[in-house]
């Protein structure tokens, strides 16, 4: 077993640690449970596709993907720093960038698998086993891209900031909630906007939410959007997400190689 | 700067914002066992972090085995580090932890298994290495930290307060082990803030205080450097008054006095200890004195440290 693969497995093991696995399991089943409650509450008025799109956009992508990316992405580094075990890694004869890359890949796989399972469970809860015509595959397809981009971005925060989790949460639930809905060119600065472009049913859900005045978009947004409509072409999104991932990951690996990451010593 | 098999600092300073951690420090550590001595906050851990490439110097140059150590896998290949921090991957067993460190050092298969077992055997943890680290005593944790530091046969071994938490028997075993490493040709650097501990380990020390390197070399050599401070010697005899009188006639003696709490002791101060020692035998023999106890407390490390810090 190579050092890189061992680090990758260790990163996965960290994610599957007893404390975190319960959070992951809860997040996996949460959309499905909410979907089932919605289904039973709506009765005959229940629209499976509309409910699925709403929950996939708002809960799976808007919450579970982002929160797991924040936790696992920043945790790649901050867990070692807070546990002060990083000293064992940094004094081994392995380039620092390889340590971080292996751990990032472990976190990426964990985010992808957890969010994908969550999405599949949601689809099963909404449609049963009759999944033909359900945009499940287009969602599953973009989950790894979203996990890669968000994971790399939050990893970058972890390499640069002392409290990356706070800033990550602020970005995930502040910036990413509002910016895609803003008119003008703001949406180009949001990873979520690119993901919604690649899964158009998520975009439609977001727009319909704005049109009905829900989701906090508001009337001013509608007016500004009408004057300055901006839509991201899918080809741009296909390029933008890998570029964001590569830039953030590259910077993370660079900073991790040149900056100091040393835990404070215990007072003797 | 290319000094193989040694640790070499050249005018190294390290600042933490407005606070200085290490102040213009220069030294060379050869093969063998060297102790880094100083109270808490003296800059020992900063120095060890610089040696192990965890942090960079603000100014000056560092060479470990001829190369700068920061983020340098070539140096890490030949450097073992036992940190002071008591943190581990608690859900691993001792063996799994040492195996992980061996894997990260690039070892695989049978070679790795053999190395891990050898390291565990050397630190005396063979019978306890398959228990979880979370259940280890402080002493066991210290031993496993040393095992992971030696699993890749480093040429330089850096140990930060490695005797903390060990019982007296464990201390003796581990000190013997560190001395064996030095005899095998390793450059072993041990930090400690406990004076008597260092005296038992080695004669070669670096003394640090408030980020400065106060002295380096053998304990006796350092004592010789402190010429300005008189050297104290105590003699216990049956006739202290007469002995004190005879000693005062010697031109190397600054003063001789008898403490009020012990009427059999003479305390002598001299600025020329070597010459005094050579004269002392004649003084005793000529006067027919019976000397029961002879002590030179200023030769011990505590006195050296006290003088250096007060200087």
């Amino acid at each position: 077993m190579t050092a890189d693969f061992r680090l990758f497995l260790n990163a996965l093991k960290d994610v599957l640690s007893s404390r975190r696995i319960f959070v992951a399991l809860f997040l996996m089943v949460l959309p499905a449970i909410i979907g089932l409650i919605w289904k039973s509450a709506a009765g005959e008025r229940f629209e499976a596709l509309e409910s699925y799109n709403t929950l996939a956009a708002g809960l799976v992508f808007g919450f579970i993907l982002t929160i797991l990316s924040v936790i696992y992405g920043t945790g790649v580094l901050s867990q070692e720093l807070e546990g002060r075990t990083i000293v064992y890694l940094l004094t081994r004869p392995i380039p620092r960038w390889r340590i971080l890359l292996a751990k990032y890949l472990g976190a990426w796989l964990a985010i992808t698998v957890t969010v994908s399972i969550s999405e599949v469970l949601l689809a099963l809860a909404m449609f049963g086993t009759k999944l033909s015509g359900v945009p499940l595959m287009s969602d599953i397809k973009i989950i790894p891209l979203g996990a890669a981009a968000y994971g790399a971005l939050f990893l970058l925060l972890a390499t640069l900031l002392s409290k990356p989790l706070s800033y990550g949460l602020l970005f995930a639930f502040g910036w990413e909630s509002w910016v895609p809905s803003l008119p003008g060119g703001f949406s180009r600065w949001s990873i979520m906007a690119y993901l919604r472009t690649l899964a158009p049913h998520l975009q439609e859900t977001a727009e319909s939410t704005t049109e009905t005045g829900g989701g906090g978009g508001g009337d001013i947004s509608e007016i500004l959007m009408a004057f300055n409509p901006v839509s991201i072409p899918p080809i741009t999104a296909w390029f933008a997400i890998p570029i964001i991932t590569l830039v953030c990951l590259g910077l993370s690996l660079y900073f991790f190689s040149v900056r100091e990451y040393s835990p404070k010593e215990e007072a003797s | 700067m290319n000094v193989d098999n040694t640790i070499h600092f050249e005018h190294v300073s390290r600042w933490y914002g407005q606070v200085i951690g290490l102040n213009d420090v220069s030294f060379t550590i050869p093969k063998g066992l060297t102790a880094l001595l100083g109270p808490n906050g003296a800059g020992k851990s900063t120095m060890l972090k610089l040696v192990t490439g965890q942090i960079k110097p603000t100014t000056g140059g560092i060479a470990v085995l001829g190369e700068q150590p920061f983020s340098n896998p070539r140096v890490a290949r030949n450097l073992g580090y036992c940190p002071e921090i008591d943190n581990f991957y608690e859900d691993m067993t001792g063996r799994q932890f040492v195996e992980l460190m061996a894997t990260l050092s690039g070892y695989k298969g049978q070679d790795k298994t053999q190395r891990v077992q050898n390291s565990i055997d050397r630190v005396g943890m063979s019978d306890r290495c398959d228990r979880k680290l979370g259940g280890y005593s402080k002493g066991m944790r210290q031993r496993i930290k040393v095992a992971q530091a030696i699993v890749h046969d480093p040429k330089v071994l850096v140990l930060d307060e490695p005797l903390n938490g060990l019982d007296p028997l464990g201390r003796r075993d581990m000190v013997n082990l560190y001395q064996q490493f030095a005899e095998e040709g390793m450059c072993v650097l041990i930090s400690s803030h406990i004076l008597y501990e260092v005296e038992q380990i080695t004669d070669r020390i670096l003394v640090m205080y408030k980020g400065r390197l106060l002295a380096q070399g053998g304990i006796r050599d350092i004592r010789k450097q402190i010429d300005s401070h008189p050297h104290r010697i105590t003699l216990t005899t049956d006739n202290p008054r007469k002995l004190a009188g005879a000693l005062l006639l010697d031109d190397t003696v600054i003063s001789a006095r008898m403490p009020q709490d012990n009427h059999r002791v003479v305390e002598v101060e001299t600025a020329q200890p070597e010459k005094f020692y050579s004269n002392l035998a004649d003084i005793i023999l000529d006067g027919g004195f019976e000397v029961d106890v002879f002590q030179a407390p200023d030769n011990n490390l505590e006195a050296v440290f006290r003088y250096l810090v007060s200087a």
Side-chain angles (χ1 to χ4, degrees), chain A residues 145-146 149-150 153 171 175-176 187-196 241 244:
Chain A
L145 291 174
Y150 277 126
L153 178 68
F171 177 85
W175 183 271
E176 287 294 80
S187 58
R188 290 202 178 94
W189 295 95
S190 161
I191 294 170
M192 188 56 74
Y194 291 115
L195 292 177
R196 283 176 180 170
I241 293 175
I244 291 168

mmCIF file with all atom_site columns, all heavy atoms in Angstrom, chain A residues 145-146 149-150 153 171 175-176 187-196 241 244:
data_model
loop_
_atom_site.group_PDB
_atom_site.id
_atom_site.type_symbol
_atom_site.label_atom_id
_atom_site.label_alt_id
_atom_site.label_comp_id
_atom_site.label_asym_id
_atom_site.label_entity_id
_atom_site.label_seq_id
_atom_site.pdbx_PDB_ins_code
_atom_site.Cartn_x
_atom_site.Cartn_y
_atom_site.Cartn_z
_atom_site.occupancy
_atom_site.B_iso_or_equiv
_atom_site.pdbx_formal_charge
_atom_site.auth_seq_id
_atom_site.auth_comp_id
_atom_site.auth_asym_id
_atom_site.auth_atom_id
_atom_site.pdbx_PDB_model_num
ATOM 1   N N   . LEU A 1 145 ? -19.056 16.794 -9.592  1.00 0.00 ? 145 LEU A N   1
ATOM 2   C CA  . LEU A 1 145 ? -18.486 18.092 -9.986  1.00 0.00 ? 145 LEU A CA  1
ATOM 3   C C   . LEU A 1 145 ? -18.672 19.112 -8.863  1.00 0.00 ? 145 LEU A C   1
ATOM 4   O O   . LEU A 1 145 ? -17.743 19.855 -8.522  1.00 0.00 ? 145 LEU A O   1
ATOM 5   C CB  . LEU A 1 145 ? -19.164 18.606 -11.253 1.00 0.00 ? 145 LEU A CB  1
ATOM 6   C CG  . LEU A 1 145 ? -18.883 17.842 -12.540 1.00 0.00 ? 145 LEU A CG  1
ATOM 7   C CD1 . LEU A 1 145 ? -19.740 18.401 -13.668 1.00 0.00 ? 145 LEU A CD1 1
ATOM 8   C CD2 . LEU A 1 145 ? -17.411 17.943 -12.911 1.00 0.00 ? 145 LEU A CD2 1
ATOM 9   N N   . GLY A 1 146 ? -19.873 19.136 -8.316  1.00 0.00 ? 146 GLY A N   1
ATOM 10  C CA  . GLY A 1 146 ? -20.144 20.065 -7.220  1.00 0.00 ? 146 GLY A CA  1
ATOM 11  C C   . GLY A 1 146 ? -19.281 19.760 -6.005  1.00 0.00 ? 146 GLY A C   1
ATOM 12  O O   . GLY A 1 146 ? -18.725 20.670 -5.379  1.00 0.00 ? 146 GLY A O   1
ATOM 13  N N   . ALA A 1 149 ? -15.711 20.959 -6.705  1.00 0.00 ? 149 ALA A N   1
ATOM 14  C CA  . ALA A 1 149 ? -15.539 22.421 -6.680  1.00 0.00 ? 149 ALA A CA  1
ATOM 15  C C   . ALA A 1 149 ? -15.683 22.965 -5.260  1.00 0.00 ? 149 ALA A C   1
ATOM 16  O O   . ALA A 1 149 ? -14.829 23.719 -4.781  1.00 0.00 ? 149 ALA A O   1
ATOM 17  C CB  . ALA A 1 149 ? -16.559 23.074 -7.605  1.00 0.00 ? 149 ALA A CB  1
ATOM 18  N N   . TYR A 1 150 ? -16.761 22.576 -4.589  1.00 0.00 ? 150 TYR A N   1
ATOM 19  C CA  . TYR A 1 150 ? -16.958 23.059 -3.217  1.00 0.00 ? 150 TYR A CA  1
ATOM 20  C C   . TYR A 1 150 ? -15.848 22.540 -2.294  1.00 0.00 ? 150 TYR A C   1
ATOM 21  O O   . TYR A 1 150 ? -15.325 23.279 -1.457  1.00 0.00 ? 150 TYR A O   1
ATOM 22  C CB  . TYR A 1 150 ? -18.312 22.605 -2.675  1.00 0.00 ? 150 TYR A CB  1
ATOM 23  C CG  . TYR A 1 150 ? -19.469 23.483 -3.088  1.00 0.00 ? 150 TYR A CG  1
ATOM 24  C CD1 . TYR A 1 150 ? -20.590 22.947 -3.701  1.00 0.00 ? 150 TYR A CD1 1
ATOM 25  C CD2 . TYR A 1 150 ? -19.447 24.846 -2.841  1.00 0.00 ? 150 TYR A CD2 1
ATOM 26  C CE1 . TYR A 1 150 ? -21.661 23.752 -4.079  1.00 0.00 ? 150 TYR A CE1 1
ATOM 27  C CE2 . TYR A 1 150 ? -20.502 25.666 -3.202  1.00 0.00 ? 150 TYR A CE2 1
ATOM 28  C CZ  . TYR A 1 150 ? -21.609 25.107 -3.826  1.00 0.00 ? 150 TYR A CZ  1
ATOM 29  O OH  . TYR A 1 150 ? -22.660 25.907 -4.180  1.00 0.00 ? 150 TYR A OH  1
ATOM 30  N N   . LEU A 1 153 ? -12.739 24.516 -2.867  1.00 0.00 ? 153 LEU A N   1
ATOM 31  C CA  . LEU A 1 153 ? -12.869 25.888 -2.360  1.00 0.00 ? 153 LEU A CA  1
ATOM 32  C C   . LEU A 1 153 ? -12.724 25.922 -0.828  1.00 0.00 ? 153 LEU A C   1
ATOM 33  O O   . LEU A 1 153 ? -11.985 26.754 -0.280  1.00 0.00 ? 153 LEU A O   1
ATOM 34  C CB  . LEU A 1 153 ? -14.230 26.459 -2.762  1.00 0.00 ? 153 LEU A CB  1
ATOM 35  C CG  . LEU A 1 153 ? -14.519 27.868 -2.250  1.00 0.00 ? 153 LEU A CG  1
ATOM 36  C CD1 . LEU A 1 153 ? -13.620 28.894 -2.925  1.00 0.00 ? 153 LEU A CD1 1
ATOM 37  C CD2 . LEU A 1 153 ? -15.976 28.239 -2.470  1.00 0.00 ? 153 LEU A CD2 1
ATOM 38  N N   . PHE A 1 171 ? -20.117 31.400 3.602   1.00 0.00 ? 171 PHE A N   1
ATOM 39  C CA  . PHE A 1 171 ? -20.132 31.353 2.146   1.00 0.00 ? 171 PHE A CA  1
ATOM 40  C C   . PHE A 1 171 ? -21.260 30.437 1.645   1.00 0.00 ? 171 PHE A C   1
ATOM 41  O O   . PHE A 1 171 ? -22.024 30.815 0.750   1.00 0.00 ? 171 PHE A O   1
ATOM 42  C CB  . PHE A 1 171 ? -18.784 30.849 1.620   1.00 0.00 ? 171 PHE A CB  1
ATOM 43  C CG  . PHE A 1 171 ? -18.753 30.700 0.123   1.00 0.00 ? 171 PHE A CG  1
ATOM 44  C CD1 . PHE A 1 171 ? -18.464 31.793 -0.688  1.00 0.00 ? 171 PHE A CD1 1
ATOM 45  C CD2 . PHE A 1 171 ? -19.027 29.482 -0.482  1.00 0.00 ? 171 PHE A CD2 1
ATOM 46  C CE1 . PHE A 1 171 ? -18.453 31.675 -2.064  1.00 0.00 ? 171 PHE A CE1 1
ATOM 47  C CE2 . PHE A 1 171 ? -19.016 29.356 -1.858  1.00 0.00 ? 171 PHE A CE2 1
ATOM 48  C CZ  . PHE A 1 171 ? -18.725 30.447 -2.659  1.00 0.00 ? 171 PHE A CZ  1
ATOM 49  N N   . TRP A 1 175 ? -23.573 33.565 0.836   1.00 0.00 ? 175 TRP A N   1
ATOM 50  C CA  . TRP A 1 175 ? -23.225 33.862 -0.562  1.00 0.00 ? 175 TRP A CA  1
ATOM 51  C C   . TRP A 1 175 ? -23.962 32.941 -1.543  1.00 0.00 ? 175 TRP A C   1
ATOM 52  O O   . TRP A 1 175 ? -24.616 33.405 -2.477  1.00 0.00 ? 175 TRP A O   1
ATOM 53  C CB  . TRP A 1 175 ? -21.712 33.711 -0.727  1.00 0.00 ? 175 TRP A CB  1
ATOM 54  C CG  . TRP A 1 175 ? -21.179 34.042 -2.087  1.00 0.00 ? 175 TRP A CG  1
ATOM 55  C CD1 . TRP A 1 175 ? -21.047 33.194 -3.144  1.00 0.00 ? 175 TRP A CD1 1
ATOM 56  C CD2 . TRP A 1 175 ? -20.730 35.313 -2.547  1.00 0.00 ? 175 TRP A CD2 1
ATOM 57  N NE1 . TRP A 1 175 ? -20.527 33.847 -4.219  1.00 0.00 ? 175 TRP A NE1 1
ATOM 58  C CE2 . TRP A 1 175 ? -20.319 35.163 -3.883  1.00 0.00 ? 175 TRP A CE2 1
ATOM 59  C CE3 . TRP A 1 175 ? -20.613 36.588 -1.951  1.00 0.00 ? 175 TRP A CE3 1
ATOM 60  C CZ2 . TRP A 1 175 ? -19.812 36.210 -4.643  1.00 0.00 ? 175 TRP A CZ2 1
ATOM 61  C CZ3 . TRP A 1 175 ? -20.103 37.630 -2.703  1.00 0.00 ? 175 TRP A CZ3 1
ATOM 62  C CH2 . TRP A 1 175 ? -19.718 37.429 -4.029  1.00 0.00 ? 175 TRP A CH2 1
ATOM 63  N N   . GLU A 1 176 ? -23.854 31.633 -1.330  1.00 0.00 ? 176 GLU A N   1
ATOM 64  C CA  . GLU A 1 176 ? -24.411 30.680 -2.291  1.00 0.00 ? 176 GLU A CA  1
ATOM 65  C C   . GLU A 1 176 ? -25.937 30.644 -2.282  1.00 0.00 ? 176 GLU A C   1
ATOM 66  O O   . GLU A 1 176 ? -26.561 30.160 -3.229  1.00 0.00 ? 176 GLU A O   1
ATOM 67  C CB  . GLU A 1 176 ? -23.858 29.270 -2.026  1.00 0.00 ? 176 GLU A CB  1
ATOM 68  C CG  . GLU A 1 176 ? -22.405 29.088 -2.433  1.00 0.00 ? 176 GLU A CG  1
ATOM 69  C CD  . GLU A 1 176 ? -22.182 29.202 -3.933  1.00 0.00 ? 176 GLU A CD  1
ATOM 70  O OE1 . GLU A 1 176 ? -22.130 30.354 -4.414  1.00 0.00 ? 176 GLU A OE1 1
ATOM 71  O OE2 . GLU A 1 176 ? -22.069 28.178 -4.614  1.00 0.00 ? 176 GLU A OE2 1
ATOM 72  N N   . SER A 1 187 ? -24.219 35.992 -10.709 1.00 0.00 ? 187 SER A N   1
ATOM 73  C CA  . SER A 1 187 ? -24.342 34.533 -10.667 1.00 0.00 ? 187 SER A CA  1
ATOM 74  C C   . SER A 1 187 ? -23.074 33.845 -11.167 1.00 0.00 ? 187 SER A C   1
ATOM 75  O O   . SER A 1 187 ? -22.819 32.690 -10.824 1.00 0.00 ? 187 SER A O   1
ATOM 76  C CB  . SER A 1 187 ? -25.548 34.078 -11.484 1.00 0.00 ? 187 SER A CB  1
ATOM 77  O OG  . SER A 1 187 ? -25.413 34.518 -12.814 1.00 0.00 ? 187 SER A OG  1
ATOM 78  N N   . ARG A 1 188 ? -22.279 34.584 -11.946 1.00 0.00 ? 188 ARG A N   1
ATOM 79  C CA  . ARG A 1 188 ? -21.030 33.980 -12.430 1.00 0.00 ? 188 ARG A CA  1
ATOM 80  C C   . ARG A 1 188 ? -20.047 33.734 -11.288 1.00 0.00 ? 188 ARG A C   1
ATOM 81  O O   . ARG A 1 188 ? -19.044 33.057 -11.458 1.00 0.00 ? 188 ARG A O   1
ATOM 82  C CB  . ARG A 1 188 ? -20.380 34.886 -13.477 1.00 0.00 ? 188 ARG A CB  1
ATOM 83  C CG  . ARG A 1 188 ? -21.141 34.943 -14.789 1.00 0.00 ? 188 ARG A CG  1
ATOM 84  C CD  . ARG A 1 188 ? -20.238 35.376 -15.931 1.00 0.00 ? 188 ARG A CD  1
ATOM 85  N NE  . ARG A 1 188 ? -20.965 35.390 -17.192 1.00 0.00 ? 188 ARG A NE  1
ATOM 86  C CZ  . ARG A 1 188 ? -21.550 36.465 -17.700 1.00 0.00 ? 188 ARG A CZ  1
ATOM 87  N NH1 . ARG A 1 188 ? -21.469 37.616 -17.082 1.00 0.00 ? 188 ARG A NH1 1
ATOM 88  N NH2 . ARG A 1 188 ? -22.192 36.399 -18.857 1.00 0.00 ? 188 ARG A NH2 1
ATOM 89  N N   . TRP A 1 189 ? -20.305 34.333 -10.134 1.00 0.00 ? 189 TRP A N   1
ATOM 90  C CA  . TRP A 1 189 ? -19.412 34.165 -8.971  1.00 0.00 ? 189 TRP A CA  1
ATOM 91  C C   . TRP A 1 189 ? -19.943 33.123 -8.002  1.00 0.00 ? 189 TRP A C   1
ATOM 92  O O   . TRP A 1 189 ? -19.507 33.061 -6.852  1.00 0.00 ? 189 TRP A O   1
ATOM 93  C CB  . TRP A 1 189 ? -19.236 35.508 -8.252  1.00 0.00 ? 189 TRP A CB  1
ATOM 94  C CG  . TRP A 1 189 ? -18.531 36.494 -9.117  1.00 0.00 ? 189 TRP A CG  1
ATOM 95  C CD1 . TRP A 1 189 ? -19.102 37.433 -9.922  1.00 0.00 ? 189 TRP A CD1 1
ATOM 96  C CD2 . TRP A 1 189 ? -17.123 36.597 -9.318  1.00 0.00 ? 189 TRP A CD2 1
ATOM 97  N NE1 . TRP A 1 189 ? -18.142 38.129 -10.606 1.00 0.00 ? 189 TRP A NE1 1
ATOM 98  C CE2 . TRP A 1 189 ? -16.913 37.638 -10.236 1.00 0.00 ? 189 TRP A CE2 1
ATOM 99  C CE3 . TRP A 1 189 ? -16.022 35.917 -8.801  1.00 0.00 ? 189 TRP A CE3 1
ATOM 100 C CZ2 . TRP A 1 189 ? -15.653 38.017 -10.666 1.00 0.00 ? 189 TRP A CZ2 1
ATOM 101 C CZ3 . TRP A 1 189 ? -14.759 36.297 -9.218  1.00 0.00 ? 189 TRP A CZ3 1
ATOM 102 C CH2 . TRP A 1 189 ? -14.583 37.341 -10.143 1.00 0.00 ? 189 TRP A CH2 1
ATOM 103 N N   . SER A 1 190 ? -20.864 32.302 -8.493  1.00 0.00 ? 190 SER A N   1
ATOM 104 C CA  . SER A 1 190 ? -21.454 31.295 -7.617  1.00 0.00 ? 190 SER A CA  1
ATOM 105 C C   . SER A 1 190 ? -21.300 29.903 -8.235  1.00 0.00 ? 190 SER A C   1
ATOM 106 O O   . SER A 1 190 ? -21.648 29.681 -9.392  1.00 0.00 ? 190 SER A O   1
ATOM 107 C CB  . SER A 1 190 ? -22.938 31.600 -7.420  1.00 0.00 ? 190 SER A CB  1
ATOM 108 O OG  . SER A 1 190 ? -23.614 30.466 -6.958  1.00 0.00 ? 190 SER A OG  1
ATOM 109 N N   . ILE A 1 191 ? -20.806 28.974 -7.471  1.00 0.00 ? 191 ILE A N   1
ATOM 110 C CA  . ILE A 1 191 ? -20.689 27.593 -7.941  1.00 0.00 ? 191 ILE A CA  1
ATOM 111 C C   . ILE A 1 191 ? -22.088 27.004 -8.143  1.00 0.00 ? 191 ILE A C   1
ATOM 112 O O   . ILE A 1 191 ? -22.351 26.287 -9.113  1.00 0.00 ? 191 ILE A O   1
ATOM 113 C CB  . ILE A 1 191 ? -19.885 26.741 -6.930  1.00 0.00 ? 191 ILE A CB  1
ATOM 114 C CG1 . ILE A 1 191 ? -18.434 27.233 -6.878  1.00 0.00 ? 191 ILE A CG1 1
ATOM 115 C CG2 . ILE A 1 191 ? -19.926 25.261 -7.296  1.00 0.00 ? 191 ILE A CG2 1
ATOM 116 C CD1 . ILE A 1 191 ? -17.607 26.627 -5.758  1.00 0.00 ? 191 ILE A CD1 1
ATOM 117 N N   . MET A 1 192 ? -23.004 27.355 -7.254  1.00 0.00 ? 192 MET A N   1
ATOM 118 C CA  . MET A 1 192 ? -24.356 26.815 -7.345  1.00 0.00 ? 192 MET A CA  1
ATOM 119 C C   . MET A 1 192 ? -25.031 27.219 -8.649  1.00 0.00 ? 192 MET A C   1
ATOM 120 O O   . MET A 1 192 ? -25.784 26.431 -9.246  1.00 0.00 ? 192 MET A O   1
ATOM 121 C CB  . MET A 1 192 ? -25.184 27.299 -6.138  1.00 0.00 ? 192 MET A CB  1
ATOM 122 C CG  . MET A 1 192 ? -26.551 26.652 -6.007  1.00 0.00 ? 192 MET A CG  1
ATOM 123 S SD  . MET A 1 192 ? -26.475 24.846 -5.932  1.00 0.00 ? 192 MET A SD  1
ATOM 124 C CE  . MET A 1 192 ? -25.844 24.605 -4.282  1.00 0.00 ? 192 MET A CE  1
ATOM 125 N N   . ALA A 1 193 ? -24.754 28.435 -9.127  1.00 0.00 ? 193 ALA A N   1
ATOM 126 C CA  . ALA A 1 193 ? -25.347 28.891 -10.387 1.00 0.00 ? 193 ALA A CA  1
ATOM 127 C C   . ALA A 1 193 ? -24.890 28.014 -11.548 1.00 0.00 ? 193 ALA A C   1
ATOM 128 O O   . ALA A 1 193 ? -25.686 27.673 -12.432 1.00 0.00 ? 193 ALA A O   1
ATOM 129 C CB  . ALA A 1 193 ? -24.959 30.348 -10.633 1.00 0.00 ? 193 ALA A CB  1
ATOM 130 N N   . TYR A 1 194 ? -23.623 27.629 -11.532 1.00 0.00 ? 194 TYR A N   1
ATOM 131 C CA  . TYR A 1 194 ? -23.112 26.752 -12.597 1.00 0.00 ? 194 TYR A CA  1
ATOM 132 C C   . TYR A 1 194 ? -23.737 25.356 -12.496 1.00 0.00 ? 194 TYR A C   1
ATOM 133 O O   . TYR A 1 194 ? -24.071 24.738 -13.510 1.00 0.00 ? 194 TYR A O   1
ATOM 134 C CB  . TYR A 1 194 ? -21.583 26.648 -12.511 1.00 0.00 ? 194 TYR A CB  1
ATOM 135 C CG  . TYR A 1 194 ? -20.882 27.935 -12.877 1.00 0.00 ? 194 TYR A CG  1
ATOM 136 C CD1 . TYR A 1 194 ? -20.141 28.639 -11.941 1.00 0.00 ? 194 TYR A CD1 1
ATOM 137 C CD2 . TYR A 1 194 ? -20.952 28.458 -14.174 1.00 0.00 ? 194 TYR A CD2 1
ATOM 138 C CE1 . TYR A 1 194 ? -19.489 29.818 -12.256 1.00 0.00 ? 194 TYR A CE1 1
ATOM 139 C CE2 . TYR A 1 194 ? -20.312 29.641 -14.504 1.00 0.00 ? 194 TYR A CE2 1
ATOM 140 C CZ  . TYR A 1 194 ? -19.588 30.323 -13.540 1.00 0.00 ? 194 TYR A CZ  1
ATOM 141 O OH  . TYR A 1 194 ? -18.964 31.487 -13.876 1.00 0.00 ? 194 TYR A OH  1
ATOM 142 N N   . LEU A 1 195 ? -23.891 24.859 -11.263 1.00 0.00 ? 195 LEU A N   1
ATOM 143 C CA  . LEU A 1 195 ? -24.496 23.532 -11.088 1.00 0.00 ? 195 LEU A CA  1
ATOM 144 C C   . LEU A 1 195 ? -25.937 23.539 -11.579 1.00 0.00 ? 195 LEU A C   1
ATOM 145 O O   . LEU A 1 195 ? -26.401 22.588 -12.223 1.00 0.00 ? 195 LEU A O   1
ATOM 146 C CB  . LEU A 1 195 ? -24.435 23.109 -9.614  1.00 0.00 ? 195 LEU A CB  1
ATOM 147 C CG  . LEU A 1 195 ? -23.044 22.831 -9.042  1.00 0.00 ? 195 LEU A CG  1
ATOM 148 C CD1 . LEU A 1 195 ? -23.122 22.503 -7.554  1.00 0.00 ? 195 LEU A CD1 1
ATOM 149 C CD2 . LEU A 1 195 ? -22.373 21.679 -9.783  1.00 0.00 ? 195 LEU A CD2 1
ATOM 150 N N   . ARG A 1 196 ? -26.654 24.625 -11.285 1.00 0.00 ? 196 ARG A N   1
ATOM 151 C CA  . ARG A 1 196 ? -28.052 24.713 -11.726 1.00 0.00 ? 196 ARG A CA  1
ATOM 152 C C   . ARG A 1 196 ? -28.141 24.797 -13.246 1.00 0.00 ? 196 ARG A C   1
ATOM 153 O O   . ARG A 1 196 ? -29.108 24.323 -13.841 1.00 0.00 ? 196 ARG A O   1
ATOM 154 C CB  . ARG A 1 196 ? -28.718 25.934 -11.091 1.00 0.00 ? 196 ARG A CB  1
ATOM 155 C CG  . ARG A 1 196 ? -29.075 25.706 -9.644  1.00 0.00 ? 196 ARG A CG  1
ATOM 156 C CD  . ARG A 1 196 ? -29.646 26.947 -9.027  1.00 0.00 ? 196 ARG A CD  1
ATOM 157 N NE  . ARG A 1 196 ? -29.995 26.718 -7.627  1.00 0.00 ? 196 ARG A NE  1
ATOM 158 C CZ  . ARG A 1 196 ? -30.328 27.679 -6.792  1.00 0.00 ? 196 ARG A CZ  1
ATOM 159 N NH1 . ARG A 1 196 ? -30.357 28.941 -7.198  1.00 0.00 ? 196 ARG A NH1 1
ATOM 160 N NH2 . ARG A 1 196 ? -30.636 27.405 -5.555  1.00 0.00 ? 196 ARG A NH2 1
ATOM 161 N N   . ILE A 1 241 ? -16.707 24.926 -13.796 1.00 0.00 ? 241 ILE A N   1
ATOM 162 C CA  . ILE A 1 241 ? -16.600 24.124 -12.571 1.00 0.00 ? 241 ILE A CA  1
ATOM 163 C C   . ILE A 1 241 ? -15.240 23.427 -12.463 1.00 0.00 ? 241 ILE A C   1
ATOM 164 O O   . ILE A 1 241 ? -14.576 23.514 -11.418 1.00 0.00 ? 241 ILE A O   1
ATOM 165 C CB  . ILE A 1 241 ? -17.775 23.128 -12.460 1.00 0.00 ? 241 ILE A CB  1
ATOM 166 C CG1 . ILE A 1 241 ? -19.073 23.931 -12.244 1.00 0.00 ? 241 ILE A CG1 1
ATOM 167 C CG2 . ILE A 1 241 ? -17.568 22.161 -11.295 1.00 0.00 ? 241 ILE A CG2 1
ATOM 168 C CD1 . ILE A 1 241 ? -20.328 23.104 -12.240 1.00 0.00 ? 241 ILE A CD1 1
ATOM 169 N N   . ILE A 1 244 ? -12.689 26.175 -11.632 1.00 0.00 ? 244 ILE A N   1
ATOM 170 C CA  . ILE A 1 244 ? -12.758 26.572 -10.201 1.00 0.00 ? 244 ILE A CA  1
ATOM 171 C C   . ILE A 1 244 ? -12.076 25.507 -9.337  1.00 0.00 ? 244 ILE A C   1
ATOM 172 O O   . ILE A 1 244 ? -11.281 25.803 -8.444  1.00 0.00 ? 244 ILE A O   1
ATOM 173 C CB  . ILE A 1 244 ? -14.227 26.752 -9.762  1.00 0.00 ? 244 ILE A CB  1
ATOM 174 C CG1 . ILE A 1 244 ? -14.827 27.981 -10.444 1.00 0.00 ? 244 ILE A CG1 1
ATOM 175 C CG2 . ILE A 1 244 ? -14.341 26.880 -8.241  1.00 0.00 ? 244 ILE A CG2 1
ATOM 176 C CD1 . ILE A 1 244 ? -16.339 28.084 -10.315 1.00 0.00 ? 244 ILE A CD1 1
#
